[in-house]
Amino acid sequence: MDGTNLTAVMEFILLGFSDLPKLQGFLFGIFFVIYMIILIGNALIIVITQVDPTLQTPMYFFLGNFSFLEICYTTVTLPRILMNLWTQNGHISFAACAVQLCIFLILGLTECFLLAVMACDRYVAICKPLYYSLIMNHKVCTRLVAGAWISSIPVVTILAYQIFSLPFCGSNKLNHIFCDIHPLLKVACGDTSLNELSVYIDGVLFGMAPFLLILVSYIKIITAILKLPSAMGRYKAFSTCSSHLMAVGLFFGSALIMYVRPKSSHSAGIDRILSMFYTIVTPMFNPMIYSLRNKDVICALKNLLEVKYSWC
């Protein structure tokens, strides 16, 4: 294509829910309530894991970091979605789109790594209980969390640079609710096959690797639990892992389908639903999953609210 015929794209238009004009106000209300639930629910978990003495353990240290991550992860996309629904104007600058994609992917990979770290913590707690306090000391936990936050930055920076170095010379309309990889590649000019291959490889390496680590950890955990002589012991061990397993299933299930499935199976409608699931629905349910299925968290929350029950 002759370079003189190219018109550089200076901004993108997020189509979002423009195909549902009569539901814009309703969707704004729904997403606003969801965002408040995410902020309040995860903030409460952060507070109680910091102030309650009984929750000063590695498991709740990771949970507090995970809740903070969920707030950041959702804040990258939801406020922009709310603004677009309110103004019915999906314009976003080239630079803002690049920043949103970069931060979104960094936080997404961080969540993958942090979920893997939490699985390793449960493995040590159940399979090596006598060495738990020695292995999962505060220094190790801090390094694991720092590694989860930092390790994704170089990978995502390179990937985002490759995508935004592509020429965008045609349509600037992204049929999505935020700046994401596949909608951007669809509007890029020229051959994007190498970029698509890079996205697929990164998804397999940095998405599947943490998932496989989690899978191996839980195979060993379940094997160890089944060997416990006491039914009550098996129940308690399963209950401490069930919340994390549900969070893993919700996040990895939708995210891996989104980024690792073949290009031929991609469609704007399916992509939009899947992206809403792991960016909005999962962060909303995680505080409920970890609190409703965890007696320690419920008791700490009741103590924080000064509601005393004898069974606590």
Side-chain angles (χ1 to χ4, degrees):
M1 188 180 293
D2 186 359
T4 59
N5 293 330
L6 297 180
T7 302
V9 171
M10 302 302 295
E11 68 175 8
F12 295 101
I13 301 174
L14 294 167
L15 297 181
F17 300 97
S18 58
D19 56 334
L20 303 169
K22 296 182 179 179
L23 295 177
Q24 299 286 304
F26 174 74
L27 290 172
F28 176 87
I30 293 294
F31 285 128
F32 180 78
V33 170
I34 290 174
Y35 190 43
M36 291 300 103
I37 292 172
I38 292 170
L39 292 180
I40 295 170
N42 284 288
L44 279 174
I45 288 180
I46 294 170
V47 171
I48 62 176
T49 54
Q50 288 294 314
V51 302
D52 194 288
T54 63
L55 301 185
Q56 304 303 306
T57 63
M59 182 175 76
Y60 295 108
F61 173 73
F62 294 134
L63 179 57
N65 277 273
F66 184 70
S67 295
F68 175 70
L69 174 64
E70 293 288 63
I71 290 175
C72 297
Y73 189 54
T74 309
T75 302
V76 175
T77 56
L78 248 182
R80 169 70 67 169
I81 294 171
L82 289 170
M83 185 181 73
N84 293 347
L85 286 170
W86 182 260
T87 62
Q88 298 188 27
N89 182 357
H91 289 258
I92 183 171
S93 69
F94 189 90
C97 187
V99 170
Q100 185 185 59
L101 177 67
C102 197
I103 297 176
F104 172 75
L105 292 178
I106 287 172
L107 295 175
L109 277 182
T110 300
E111 182 153 350
C112 293
F113 297 149
L114 194 52
L115 285 169
V117 167
M118 294 169 75
C120 292
D121 171 69
R122 292 298 83 208
Y123 163 75
V124 176
I126 292 174
C127 299
K128 300 181 183 295
L130 297 178
Y131 301 98
Y132 181 67
S133 59
L134 181 64
I135 296 173
M136 301 302 294
N137 58 66
H138 182 70
K139 188 175 182 179
V140 170
C141 292
T142 303
R143 288 180 176 179
L144 287 172
V145 169
W149 279 91
I150 295 171
S151 56
S152 59
I153 294 176
V155 178
V156 169
T157 302
I158 294 171
L159 180 61
Y161 176 79
Q162 291 174 342
I163 292 172
F164 284 95
S165 294
L166 292 169
F168 295 94
C169 52
S171 172
N172 65 340
K173 295 181 179 179
L174 304 179
N175 194 2
H176 207 50
I177 55 178
F178 59 88
C179 289
D180 204 357
I181 295 173
H182 295 298
L184 284 164
L185 291 178
K186 284 181 181 179
V187 300
C189 299
D191 184 14
T192 61
S193 57
L194 287 177
N195 300 90
E196 291 165 1
L197 179 61
S198 177
V199 171
Y200 185 83
I201 292 173
D202 286 343
V204 170
L205 289 178
F206 301 103
M208 288 298 293
F211 180 74
L212 290 175
L213 180 60
I214 293 169
L215 186 63
V216 170
S217 297
Y218 273 103
I219 289 174
K220 293 184 177 182
I221 287 170
I222 292 171
T223 302
I225 291 174
L226 293 176
K227 292 179 180 179
L228 293 175
S230 167
M232 181 58 69
R234 290 194 295 270
Y235 172 78
K236 287 183 178 179
F238 273 121
S239 66
T240 61
C241 299
S242 59
S243 299
H244 183 250
L245 275 174
M246 292 174 69
V248 167
L250 286 171
F251 179 78
F252 276 98
S254 53
L256 289 177
I257 292 172
M258 178 71 176
Y259 290 104
V260 180
R261 77 186 196 276
K263 179 185 175 182
S264 58
S265 65
H266 280 275
S267 70
I270 294 175
D271 286 356
R272 187 165 59 184
I273 292 170
L274 285 172
S275 63
M276 286 172 55
F277 204 85
Y278 63 81
T279 59
I280 299 173
V281 176
T282 301
M284 179 183 67
F285 280 115
N286 278 341
M288 303 177 195
I289 291 171
Y290 280 105
S291 60
L292 294 178
R293 298 183 61 84
N294 191 311
K295 183 180 177 181
D296 291 336
V297 173
I298 294 174
C299 292
L301 182 58
K302 289 183 181 296
N303 290 334
L304 181 67
L305 299 175
E306 296 183 349
V307 178
K308 304 297 184 180
Y309 286 91
S310 59
W311 58 273
C312 286

